[in-house]
Amino acid sequence: KNGKSTSEEAKQQFDDTISRISTTTDIADAHDCDLIIEAIIEREDIKIDFYEKLGPLIKPSCVFASNTSSLAITNMALASGRPDKFVGLHFFNPVQVMKLVEVISTTHTDKEVVDDIVTFGDKIGKKTVTCGDTPGFIVNRLLVPFLTQAMAMVDRGDASTRDIDLSMQLGAGHPMGPLHLSDYIGLDTALSILEGWKESYPDEPAFIIPQCLAEKVKNGHVGRKSGQGFYKWDGDKVLGPVDN
């Protein structure tokens, strides 16, 4: 079948999966879980408050994992009251397509917990990589400064949006250029990450906020989801660079 299912098989698989999922709005209902993966809004104050409330309600052996893409794991781990059983578990969008999962440990995390989470990642069909609690972990620590350097080139007038992106596609083998990717991710998301990093690590020269990024977000031009950023968009279809 080349990996394809009939409509009946797909419905059966869907129904089987849904039957194993229960929902609740009361976090105390998770008291007997072995693993809790948090994926709430990317604001440290809200996550810290969540973990301060969650920790006392859940059995001591449960492992907590945050799906944050950019916030410090250590701060949440300490707030949870169980830093030895706390990791970052960063999935990538779209989760059903992207194979990579980053497993982030802190200086407090038990090695056995890390090993167990790596095994969990393997069991759900992901490729896991491990990393210490550095800003952005592996992917975003490399990716976000790369994106901002492309934006800095726009600020200086070094090259056009088209030529910057085309150069990285044809010269470096990237599937899409950094400005196209920034639009796809969301310029507001990129700015939020950078502002957090700048506040926490003011002496890190790799963390800059390009003028063009700040101006576009201020004007509501945040990329694909607003219809305009470095490119003009029609839904998920890119129409062409704004600076042409």
Side-chain angles (χ1 to χ4, degrees):
K1 295 180 182 178
N2 295 322
K4 296 182 179 180
S5 300
T6 65
S7 58
E8 292 81 8
E9 290 171 335
K11 183 179 185 306
Q12 183 62 52
Q13 184 180 25
F14 175 82
D15 290 342
D16 289 346
T17 300
I18 292 298
S19 71
R20 295 192 295 271
I21 298 173
S22 58
T23 62
T24 182
T25 56
D26 184 353
I27 60 175
D29 289 340
H31 69 277
D32 200 37
C33 287
D34 296 315
L35 170 64
I36 294 178
I37 303 172
E38 163 269 311
I40 64 176
I41 188 171
E42 281 286 86
R43 276 183 48 185
E44 186 175 62
D45 58 333
I46 294 177
K47 289 182 185 286
I48 293 281
D49 180 67
F50 171 77
Y51 281 115
E52 287 176 343
K53 294 174 179 175
L54 184 70
L57 299 175
I58 310 301
K59 68 181 183 182
S61 61
C62 178
V63 174
F64 291 172
S66 177
N67 185 49
T68 182
S69 62
S70 62
L71 299 177
I73 301 300
T74 300
N75 296 342
M76 291 181 279
L78 294 173
S80 75
R82 59 183 75 195
D84 57 324
K85 293 182 175 62
F86 199 110
V87 296
L89 190 62
H90 181 213
F91 293 83
F92 291 80
N93 277 326
V95 175
Q96 71 274 18
V97 175
M98 301 293 279
K99 298 290 289 184
L100 185 69
V101 175
E102 293 175 317
V103 178
I104 302 97
S105 60
T106 74
T107 56
H108 305 282
T109 312
D110 282 349
K111 184 181 183 304
E112 183 178 341
V113 168
V114 175
D115 293 341
D116 287 345
I117 295 300
V118 168
T119 299
F120 168 76
D122 293 340
K123 285 182 177 179
I124 63 174
K126 298 297 185 181
K127 296 293 185 181
T128 58
V129 293
T130 59
C131 179
D133 191 15
T134 186
F137 320 133
I138 297 175
V139 173
N140 283 334
R141 181 64 190 262
L142 295 171
L143 178 63
V144 174
F146 164 60
L147 302 181
T148 59
Q149 283 301 308
M151 297 175 198
M153 295 187 76
V154 172
D155 280 347
R156 294 191 300 266
D158 293 338
S160 68
T161 295
R162 171 194 176 274
D163 288 352
I164 291 170
D165 279 354
L166 187 63
S167 294
M168 295 311 297
Q169 286 179 274
L170 302 185
H174 291 198
M176 67 176 70
L179 301 174
H180 185 174
L181 179 57
S182 297
D183 266 12
Y184 195 86
I185 293 169
L187 302 185
D188 53 339
T189 300
L191 179 61
S192 177
I193 291 171
L194 286 164
E195 287 176 337
W197 287 357
K198 283 283 288 182
E199 181 179 353
S200 299
Y201 309 96
D203 298 324
E204 172 53 67
F207 302 157
I208 64 170
I209 299 178
Q211 182 180 349
C212 62
L213 174 63
E215 288 180 352
K216 286 180 183 295
V217 174
K218 180 180 179 180
N219 292 329
H221 299 157
V222 298
R224 173 178 57 98
K225 58 191 172 186
S226 71
Q228 182 172 319
F230 289 98
Y231 289 84
K232 294 179 181 178
W233 294 79
D234 179 11
D236 286 342
K237 180 181 179 182
V238 66
L239 302 177
V242 170
D243 61 8
N244 274 8

